Amino acid sequence: MSASTRLRLFCLPYSGASAMVYTRWRRALPDWLQVCPLELPGRGMRMDEPLQRDIKALAAQLADEVSRELNGPYALFGHSLGGLLAFELAHALRERGVPAPLALFASGTAGPARRDVSEYAIAKSDAQLIARLRELQGTAEEALANPELMQLMLPILRADFLLCGSFTYGQREPLGMPIHVFGGKQDSVRAEQLLDWQADTASGFSLDMFDGHHFFLVQHESAVLRCLRRYADEHLARWRNGAAWPLAAG
């Protein structure tokens, strides 16, 4: 299959995580759906870069980087903070006039329009951050009790929370691409908050709920990826059948 018939899926990590969290997806998904994890400054391969605390500035930086790589159809995926960052990235790409993503996938994160980020706007103590990690049920107790590991992880998590706290909705035109939202049935992010994403698309919308808490995409990975693959297949088929790859509206 040629590169032009692949759909590139740019994946944005959740708070405290690096691009490595999507490594397994590369093996689990077919070749035509090319997983492209985006590394954020201050972690992984970009450990020597300063952590970013301004979500619009980070989205602009990522948009400049992604724009240079666009040579065919693509979509955006983000979980939790990554979903909000994917939303800002979609707007930053639209501002640059590059071809729009075929879809935006937002997982485990409330719709932007009525989102309250006030609890993230003030830097949290180590104890508060560890309590939040425990509440989200995505970090093993052995990891939380490891001082060396926490010394590495907590500054990243603290910056990511401030990144989320820097979000402002302001005046937004709906995005011209479909938005597919995934949620966990036992997550603290409620279905009505997920449904708020409808306000930000001028195209299609879907909401799929999975068993599990905030990290349902890890707990029930195969179910999430089956759903993701189905939507991606539909979008790529439409694109192949001559549906124009839409230029991002200004």
Side-chain angles (χ1 to χ4, degrees):
M1 185 178 286
S2 69
S4 62
T5 56
R6 290 180 180 174
L7 176 62
R8 301 182 77 189
L9 184 67
F10 291 106
C11 297
L12 294 142
Y14 44 84
S15 294
S18 78
M20 290 289 289
V21 295
Y22 294 109
T23 301
R24 282 172 49 84
W25 287 21
R26 285 179 163 155
R27 297 191 296 273
L29 288 168
D31 286 347
W32 62 262
L33 186 50
Q34 188 178 8
V35 176
C36 301
L38 294 180
E39 192 68 274
L40 306 186
R43 67 209 79 196
M45 300 293 286
R46 304 180 73 162
M47 188 67 83
D48 57 341
E49 297 178 39
L51 291 161
Q52 180 59 264
R53 294 171 178 81
D54 182 315
I55 197 165
K56 275 196 168 61
L58 178 55
Q61 180 181 354
L62 294 174
D64 289 340
E65 294 166 3
V66 167
S67 297
R68 293 194 286 269
E69 297 182 36
L70 296 181
N71 57 1
Y74 71 103
L76 304 177
F77 178 95
H79 180 74
S80 197
L81 166 68
L84 188 61
L85 183 53
F87 171 77
E88 285 287 19
L89 177 55
H91 279 280
L93 289 165
R94 179 160 72 175
E95 287 168 11
R96 281 152 181 76
V98 299
L102 298 192
L104 168 63
F105 293 89
S107 171
T109 192
R114 294 192 293 174
R115 189 186 189 102
D116 179 9
V117 297
S118 56
E119 69 165 301
Y120 299 105
I122 300 168
K124 289 184 165 31
S125 68
D126 287 1
Q128 288 172 319
L129 290 172
I130 289 171
R132 181 67 174 142
L133 286 173
R134 191 170 276 124
E135 182 187 325
L136 292 172
Q137 302 182 34
T139 310
E141 277 298 325
E142 307 88 79
L144 295 175
N146 183 323
E148 292 80 12
L149 184 59
M150 288 297 102
Q151 196 174 355
L152 288 171
M153 188 174 179
L154 292 180
I156 296 172
L157 190 65
R158 183 175 291 110
D160 284 353
F161 277 22
L162 290 171
L163 191 70
C164 182
S166 74
F167 175 78
T168 53
Y169 187 75
Q171 295 294 315
R172 304 279 183 145
E173 288 295 319
L175 293 165
M177 71 215 61
I179 297 180
H180 300 293
V181 180
F182 297 162
K185 291 177 184 175
Q186 286 78 46
D187 192 5
S188 59
V189 182
R190 302 181 309 279
E192 57 266 31
Q193 294 174 288
L194 299 171
L195 287 167
D196 281 347
W197 279 97
Q198 289 176 94
D200 281 287
T201 175
S203 187
F205 173 84
S206 66
L207 171 60
D208 290 274
M209 300 295 290
F210 300 88
D211 287 324
H213 296 273
H214 191 62
F215 287 100
F216 61 88
L217 84 167
V218 176
Q219 297 160 341
H220 300 280
E221 181 183 78
S222 58
V224 171
L225 293 186
R226 270 198 307 275
C227 189
L228 174 64
R229 177 179 173 171
R230 186 177 77 246
Y231 287 127
D233 193 27
E234 291 170 5
H235 291 305
L236 188 57
R238 265 197 292 274
W239 179 82
R240 279 201 197 113
N241 291 334
W245 190 22
L247 276 176

